[in-house]
Amino acid sequence: MTASAFPPVRIGMVGAGFMGHQHIDFIQAAPGAELAAVADPVATADSFDCPWYATTSDMLRAGDLDAVIIANPNALHVDTAVECLEAGVAVLLEKPVAVDYAESRRLVDAVARLEGRLLVGHHRRHHPAVARARAAIEGGELGQLVAVSGLWSARKEDEYFTDIPWHSRKGAGVTLINVVHDLDLLRHLCGEVAEVQAMQSSHARGLEVEDTITLNLRFESGVVGSFLASDAGVSPWGWDQATEETLAFPFVPDGVAYRLVGTDAALSVPNLAKYAYDRAVPANWHSPLSRTYLPVAPRGSFHAQLDHFIEVARGAAQSLVSAEDASRTLALVEAAALAARTGQTVDVARFRADSQGSAES
Ligand SMILES: NC(=O)c1ccc[n+]([C@@H]2O[C@H](COP(=O)([O-])OP(=O)(O)OC[C@H]3O[C@@H](n4cnc5c(N)ncnc54)[C@H](O)[C@@H]3O)[C@@H](O)[C@H]2O)c1
């Protein structure tokens, strides 16, 4: 049976705010999916061309769903996802998987207990440039990976914080809203992080949450890296500007979010510019570098993520971003926050063990 022989996966949307509306657009553009219902206490029934419910429970009780996409406020993620898994539907849960690592373990346990189908919305992993960069690293095209650096900086509109109060409270700073994607991707490309150091600041916006953070990372492989992020500073640098994912973030051609440095070559991502010496010249800093662009088929991460989720919902694919994986990314985010608060280097594996212990006791 070919994929098109299956009936569309009937998806319920939980949370129809900024991100929920984007997911609705992606569902409506996907032949394998159908928007079956929306649950949001604030949105109104006549906004959607499908049944609307004030609560997720009402939507699930009405039945007839194969899957849900959850894009409600972060503090509701785990409870909502567990409720949906208990109802037997597949779940695409927006990032961050939970507000903290200890809470995310509850979801990891629920997925195991219920044998649930759950994908976490770290959409960048689905971008073709990321798969190509990972293949370049794993295939030795860069030689031995030595270091990585990354930057995400974009000025959010002031209303992002004044109109939506949860955006300026614990659990919604630039680290948990934006850097969580970058750290997830750096883990995906370079492996587990062993140690993290950090400095952060809220001086630009003066809010409870940080607006700017800088991180030093030591990966278990020995690779070292740095990452700088701000939601107060104007810049063309960062994943959202460097990809044509959504019209919400205008595209900067040839943009770069990450730079990977190997003993044979360097690669910038997502534009996949590879810099290396020609065979005819000595392979050292006195020789000119040549630049080539690695070819990939153009494809947006969100569309690819939804296609993958449809396969996960049908039981035809393993989730590319499991609850366990996203939980580890969250542990790294928290370890970075602890490092920023204390000025200490944080051992990430020890941090996970200590946090899990305190959650269980
Ligand atoms: N993957 C990405 O790139 C990306 C980008 C932006 C936001 N997000 C994530 O998407 C989620 C939503 O963010 P947003 O910016 O759209 O926020 P938002 O505030 O615009 O939307 C949240 C929506 O959830 C609704 N809601 C509140 N309580 C609810 C409940 N009990 N049941 C159902 N709906 C409820 C609100 O009415 C609102 O419409 C967050 O987890 C955020 O981290 C992901």
Side-chain angles (χ1 to χ4, degrees):
M1 197 182 223
T2 61
S4 57
F6 290 101
V9 170
R10 292 175 55 76
I11 300 179
M13 186 69 230
V14 178
F18 167 74
M19 200 59 220
H21 272 97
Q22 293 204 45
H23 281 296
I24 288 171
D25 288 346
F26 300 132
I27 294 168
Q28 287 172 336
E34 181 184 332
L35 181 67
V38 172
D40 189 307
V42 173
T44 51
D46 54 9
S47 318
F48 309 101
D49 201 11
C50 66
W52 165 85
Y53 302 91
T55 70
T56 306
S57 310
D58 289 344
M59 183 174 82
L60 292 171
R61 253 194 303 277
D64 210 21
L65 294 181
D66 303 310
V68 296
I69 298 180
I70 300 173
N72 56 11
N74 300 348
L76 303 174
H77 281 187
V78 169
D79 283 344
T80 311
V82 171
E83 183 180 2
C84 293
L85 291 172
E86 283 172 345
V89 297
V91 173
L92 167 51
L93 175 61
E94 263 305 342
K95 47 47 65 174
V97 64
V99 286
D100 58 34
Y101 177 65
E103 189 194 31
S104 72
R105 302 313 297 172
R106 197 153 61 77
L107 183 59
V108 172
D109 292 346
V111 170
R113 175 171 51 87
L114 300 161
E115 297 181 6
R117 293 156 297 156
L118 181 133
L119 173 69
V120 182
H122 287 296
H123 60 273
R124 296 181 193 177
R125 286 199 193 193
H126 302 270
H127 196 284
V130 170
R132 185 63 187 88
R134 201 166 184 232
I137 295 168
E138 287 175 356
E141 292 174 57
L142 309 182
Q144 182 190 350
L145 193 62
V146 175
V148 59
S149 84
L151 175 55
W152 184 94
S153 188
R155 179 150 182 98
K156 290 179 182 164
E157 69 279 20
D158 293 340
E159 295 76 15
Y160 178 91
F161 299 97
T162 53
D163 291 0
I164 304 176
W166 71 270
H167 281 168
S168 53
R169 297 202 196 106
K170 178 179 181 272
V174 68
T175 315
L176 204 48
I177 290 284
N178 305 101
V179 180
V180 64
H181 281 302
D182 296 292
L183 290 178
D184 183 71
L185 209 55
L186 292 177
R187 283 185 57 242
H188 187 58
L189 291 173
C190 306
E192 287 297 352
V193 173
E195 292 179 309
V196 57
Q197 300 172 326
M199 281 187 195
Q200 69 184 25
S201 168
S202 52
H203 83 286
R205 290 194 182 276
L207 298 173
E208 180 186 328
V209 288
E210 78 290 351
D211 51 58
T212 305
I213 187 162
T214 176
L215 307 170
N216 287 326
L217 306 163
R218 183 189 302 283
F219 293 82
E220 287 179 357
S221 61
V223 169
V224 289
S226 64
F227 195 83
L228 171 63
S230 176
D231 65 22
V234 175
S235 104
W237 302 297
W239 178 271
D240 297 299
Q241 303 94 312
T243 50
E244 293 174 274
E245 302 279 33
T246 149
L247 286 174
F249 306 119
F251 178 52
V252 177
D254 214 22
V256 172
Y258 315 104
R259 291 179 169 85
L260 297 159
V261 178
T263 51
D264 291 343
L267 181 69
S268 54
V269 180
N271 66 343
L272 295 183
K274 181 182 167 190
Y275 297 83
Y277 300 112
D278 285 339
R279 287 223 179 99
V281 298
N284 67 54
W285 64 347
H286 299 298
S287 298
L289 282 165
S290 298
R291 178 176 61 187
T292 49
Y293 287 90
L294 304 182
V296 279
R299 190 91 214 278
S301 319
F302 286 107
H303 293 288
Q305 174 179 261
L306 182 57
D307 284 351
H308 175 65
F309 180 54
I310 289 167
E311 293 301 296
V312 170
R314 287 181 175 143
Q318 288 290 323
S319 169
L320 179 66
V321 192
S322 65
E324 173 64 42
D325 209 346
S327 170
R328 282 175 172 245
T329 291
L330 197 50
L332 175 56
V333 169
E334 275 182 53
L338 177 63
R341 279 199 308 279
T342 60
Q344 306 288 313
T345 301
V346 175
D347 178 312
V348 180
R350 193 174 310 147
F351 176 84
R352 281 200 305 267
D354 290 350
S355 305
Q356 223 164 321
S358 59
E360 283 160 10
S361 59

